[in-house]
Amino acid sequence: MADKRDYYEVLGVDRDADQRTIKRAFLKKAREVHPDVSDDPNAEEKFKEVNEAYSVLSDEQKRANYDRYGTADGPGMGSGYVDFSDIFGGMGMDDIFSSFFGGGAPSGGRARAQRRGGRDMAITLTVTLEEAARGCTKTISYDRLATCEDCHGTGAADGASEKQCPRCHGTGFVTTVQRSIFGQVQSSSPCPDCGGEGTVIDTPCEMCSGQGRTPTHEKIDIEVPAGIASGRQLRVRGYGEAGFRGAESGDLIVNVRVAEHERFQRSGDDLLCEVSVPMASAALGCTVEVEGILDDERIAVEIPAGTQFGDTVTVDGRGMPRSGGGGSRGRLIVRVAVVVPKKMNAAAREALERFAKEMGEQVAPRKSVGDRIRDAIDDILE
């Protein structure tokens, strides 16, 4: 399996197959080769191949790139897509499908009245500081168990019905009695016929095998509000794991991470940055222009006379927008780095020497050309 086969060949579909056909083919192939049900020693590799083919052909952009360039990576994939982690603690489609195979029976002998809803899912979404400042919309694609499109979540084929399980009589569990040295011991366990649901379907849906949900690739837009900070969570209702046979779906929980910035440090709603100011300008006072965090924002920062290296200047209302703050913003805190010139022409040096003399400062005597030559030769000999 070193050489990748054509993805359409892997799923057994035509190149013009629609998404419904591709999904059906994927589920059929996945059931055949999944390691949990197949005795084939190469089942795991085959399942990964099927999963990879579906992950490309089920995504319109990836499929278009694959059809045109022979690979899912191509023009257009860098925009609107977000890298993220922590789906179900790192689950991929193979784990989602394993959950699909083993997901038919609720745990612990719960009765039908407690039909299992879908689990919440979590992702970590990384945005830039600029995106966090202005707010943005991120399009993400991820794997989940979604409501079956064929049966609309009922788990039943057309014309089929859900009936009370004849084995457990609708309780969802069965009771067994065993003899022991202490007498008869009674125990309860989920009904093997209905999986603890209390009901059975005479003709299950072919697409979802009676679960009412199928593995799928989901694509949704996430609205990131302006001013959001790292650690904030956004909850998207109903976009977690679909519930069993029409039960309520879980939520998608988006954990936001704001990436570090090359110019700004963030402290709450304040932004800290550093500007370089020439020595004379710091001594006499000046105005410097700082590029803000919002688009095309230019901020005039007044540097007072006598500013020292490491001093800070604060500009109110030019930091990060406050989340839900009605347009208010934090502070911009500018740290001044006074720059001392390394090279000066004769006129500048004479002017600086006169300044030092007026201030009563001691300066090193100016070296002659011969002194500088001797110093250079000494450095070479050393």
Side-chain angles (χ1 to χ4, degrees), residues 27-48 50 97-98 101:
L27 292 174
K28 181 179 179 181
K29 289 283 187 180
R31 289 189 185 99
E32 293 174 357
V33 301
H34 195 279
D36 289 349
V37 297
S38 175
D39 295 329
D40 190 330
N42 296 319
E44 184 174 353
E45 291 184 26
K46 290 182 178 179
F47 179 76
K48 288 181 179 179
V50 169
F97 211 94
S98 293
F101 269 107

Side-chain angles (χ1 to χ4, degrees), residues 130-137 224-227:
E130 287 88 353
E131 290 171 333
R134 65 176 180 263
C136 61
T137 300
V224 180

Side-chain angles (χ1 to χ4, degrees), residues 140-344:
I140 64 170
S141 57
Y142 65 106
D143 300 327
R144 74 168 182 136
L145 288 174
T147 300
C148 177
E149 298 174 357
D150 274 22
C151 66
H152 305 291
T154 66
D158 289 341
S161 60
E162 189 175 13
K163 302 176 181 178
Q164 184 183 85
C165 176
R167 183 164 184 171
C168 66
H169 305 290
T171 63
F173 57 91
V174 293
T175 302
T176 58
V177 179
Q178 294 178 324
R179 294 182 179 276
S180 72
I181 58 174
F182 302 105
Q184 291 185 334
V185 178
Q186 182 175 295
S187 61
S188 297
S189 60
C191 176
D193 287 0
C194 67
E197 286 295 309
T199 60
V200 293
I201 298 174
D202 48 15
T203 307
C205 170
E206 179 184 351
M207 178 74 89
C208 66
S209 300
Q211 284 204 34
R213 56 189 187 175
T214 57
T216 191
H217 291 285
E218 192 78 60
K219 183 182 289 187
I220 64 171
D221 291 336
I222 302 294
E223 298 294 335
V224 180
I228 198 166
S230 285
R232 172 84 180 276
Q233 289 187 336
L234 306 174
R235 183 179 289 268
V236 187
R237 299 287 181 184
Y239 276 86
E241 181 184 80
F244 185 78
R245 289 191 196 166
E248 185 177 6
S249 296
D251 298 333
L252 178 65
I253 300 171
V254 182
N255 297 299
V256 177
R257 174 183 172 271
V258 181
E260 293 185 1
H261 197 271
E262 60 180 6
R263 290 189 300 114
F264 292 110
Q265 288 184 330
R266 183 177 183 178
S267 177
D269 293 323
D270 295 339
L271 290 177
L272 293 79
C273 69
E274 183 175 275
V275 295
S276 298
V277 177
M279 177 183 67
S281 298
L284 300 174
C286 64
T287 300
V288 297
E289 187 177 81
V290 175
E291 182 180 351
I293 193 62
L294 298 180
D295 295 336
D296 301 323
E297 184 178 39
R298 297 292 184 270
I299 304 167
V301 180
E302 298 292 334
I303 306 297
T307 295
Q308 304 296 305
F309 189 99
D311 285 353
T312 59
V313 179
T314 300
V315 183
D316 291 332
R318 292 292 191 163
M320 285 292 291
R322 292 189 172 94
S323 183
S328 65
R329 296 172 64 178
R331 302 173 299 169
L332 175 66
I333 302 174
V334 179
R335 181 178 182 271
V336 178
V338 179
V339 180
V340 178
K342 293 182 178 181
K343 293 183 179 180
M344 291 180 287

